[in-house]
């Protein structure tokens, strides 16, 4: 499977702490994206990182990509209760244009 | 922009009935995706269109599922006949693809389908 797989499956932290989620994948990618899903809602795009990039920042979010290890990480700094959600990585296939594979997600719970 | 619009938001039907889900992508986007999300299988890509043409439908579970995109502003996903195992949340997403460059996908709010 080309699916990205997130790790851990669930993460519970206190407000103000940092949260780190990891994503591993199996085949070559064109890009990798991270999405957030609040309970009962659609997915919201967070960051897209292309295969020739190593790190990207957006506000309190930092994404790294290591294509040699076929892995990515999402770091949320100074977490807030509102960050409670499921986080998914999606890998864009290098072979199949515009086809994305979503992992099973990390469920983050930020306790106030 | 109103974002991706899906209808209905909730659908409850009986086994054997036909179900039609509708999606209006963001104006100007040229790619459209249908996903299904369940607890057991997670988020699965069913089919995607580029410039109204189906590019890959390998994720469509079986012949009971069909999808159409008659124009750039409308797509349907049809299940006929529906079965209880089709119960899931169905998402539509759209994206703008330029010069074969990937971009983010914008998701609709989803249709929660329950087949009794």
């Amino acid at each position: 499977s080309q699916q990205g797989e997130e790790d851990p499956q669930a993460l519970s932290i206190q407000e103000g702490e940092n949260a780190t989620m990891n994503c591993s994948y199996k085949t070559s990618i064109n890009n990798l994206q991270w999405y957030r899903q609040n309970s009962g809602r659609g997915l919201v795009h967070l960051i897209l990182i292309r295969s020739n990039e190593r790190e990207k920042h957006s506000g309190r979010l930092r994404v790294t990509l290591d294509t040699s290890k076929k892995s990515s990480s999402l770091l949320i700094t100074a977490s807030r209760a509102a960050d409670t959600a499921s986080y998914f990585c999606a890998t864009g296939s290098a072979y199949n244009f515009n086809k994305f594979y979503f992992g099973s997600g990390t469920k983050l719970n930020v306790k106030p | 922009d109103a974002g991706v619009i899906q209808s209905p938001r909730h659908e409850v039907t009986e086994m054997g009935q036909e179900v039609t889900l509708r999606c209006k992508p963001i104006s100007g986007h040229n790619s459209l995706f249908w996903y299904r999300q369940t607890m057991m299988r997670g988020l699965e890509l069913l089919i995607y269109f580029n410039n109204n043409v189906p590019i890959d439908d390998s994720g469509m579970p079986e012949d009971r599922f069909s999808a159409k995109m008659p124009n750039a502003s409308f797509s349907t996903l049809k299940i006929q006949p529906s079965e209880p195992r089709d119960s899931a949340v169905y998402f539509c997403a759209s994206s703008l693809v330029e010069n074969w460059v990937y971009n983010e996908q914008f998701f609709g709010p989803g249709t929660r389908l329950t087949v009794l």
Side-chain angles (χ1 to χ4, degrees):
Chain A
S1 166
Q2 297 185 53
Q3 282 182 334
E5 291 299 329
E6 292 89 344
D7 170 60
Q9 290 188 339
L11 180 61
S12 184
I13 59 174
Q14 290 293 140
E15 203 165 31
E17 294 180 339
N18 294 342
T20 299
M21 288 159 269
N22 302 296
C23 172
S24 60
Y25 57 92
K26 293 182 179 178
T27 62
S28 293
I29 62 171
N30 182 288
N31 70 86
L32 186 145
Q33 303 185 29
W34 284 91
Y35 288 80
R36 183 187 73 220
Q37 183 179 36
N38 290 85
S39 181
R41 310 287 291 272
L43 280 75
V44 175
H45 181 265
L46 296 175
I47 287 186
L48 180 154
I49 186 166
R50 303 199 187 274
S51 58
N52 61 352
E53 297 174 313
R54 292 295 166 258
E55 190 170 311
K56 228 170 175 181
H57 297 254
S58 176
R60 295 184 295 112
L61 307 180
R62 173 177 167 252
V63 168
T64 60
L65 178 65
D66 187 336
T67 52
S68 66
K69 295 181 179 177
K70 291 185 168 58
S71 68
S72 172
S73 68
L74 169 67
L75 169 67
I76 303 174
T77 59
S79 63
R80 305 166 183 168
D83 295 327
T84 295
S86 291
Y87 292 81
F88 296 86
C89 70
T91 52
S93 171
Y95 307 112
N96 196 338
F97 174 65
N98 222 17
K99 189 163 186 175
F100 286 89
Y101 300 89
F102 281 81
S104 52
T106 292
K107 190 168 283 191
L108 174 66
N109 179 34
V110 181
K111 294 176 282 189
Chain B
D1 199 321
V4 176
I5 298 172
Q6 290 187 247
S7 65
R9 294 291 309 276
H10 301 271
E11 176 83 24
V12 180
T13 190
E14 292 190 344
M15 184 173 63
Q17 296 298 306
E18 177 180 294
V19 174
T20 299
L21 311 181
R22 297 173 176 79
C23 175
K24 177 178 168 52
I26 291 174
S27 177
H29 282 187
N30 56 8
S31 289
L32 183 139
F33 308 80
W34 282 102
Y35 291 90
R36 176 173 69 176
Q37 187 177 36
T38 61
M39 288 292 290
M40 291 295 294
R41 300 175 68 90
L43 197 63
E44 303 173 278
L45 175 65
L46 301 177
I47 184 171
Y48 73 92
F49 296 82
N50 195 41
N51 293 321
N52 313 337
V53 176
I55 302 300
D56 190 328
D57 64 354
S58 59
M60 297 284 262
E62 46 197 276
D63 292 345
R64 298 184 297 105
F65 286 69
S66 63
K68 292 182 180 178
M69 191 163 187
N71 56 62
S73 59
F74 184 67
S75 176
T76 59
L77 177 68
K78 189 172 291 187
I79 308 172
Q80 166 63 17
S82 58
E83 297 182 3
R85 61 190 167 128
D86 301 330
S87 297
V89 181
Y90 290 81
F91 289 104
C92 175
S94 71
S95 176
L96 175 62
V97 176
E98 296 175 297
N99 300 321
W100 298 92
V101 175
Y102 290 82
N103 288 304
E104 64 189 284
Q105 295 184 19
F106 292 83
F107 280 75
T111 294
R112 183 173 295 276
L113 173 65
T114 303
V115 183
L116 303 174

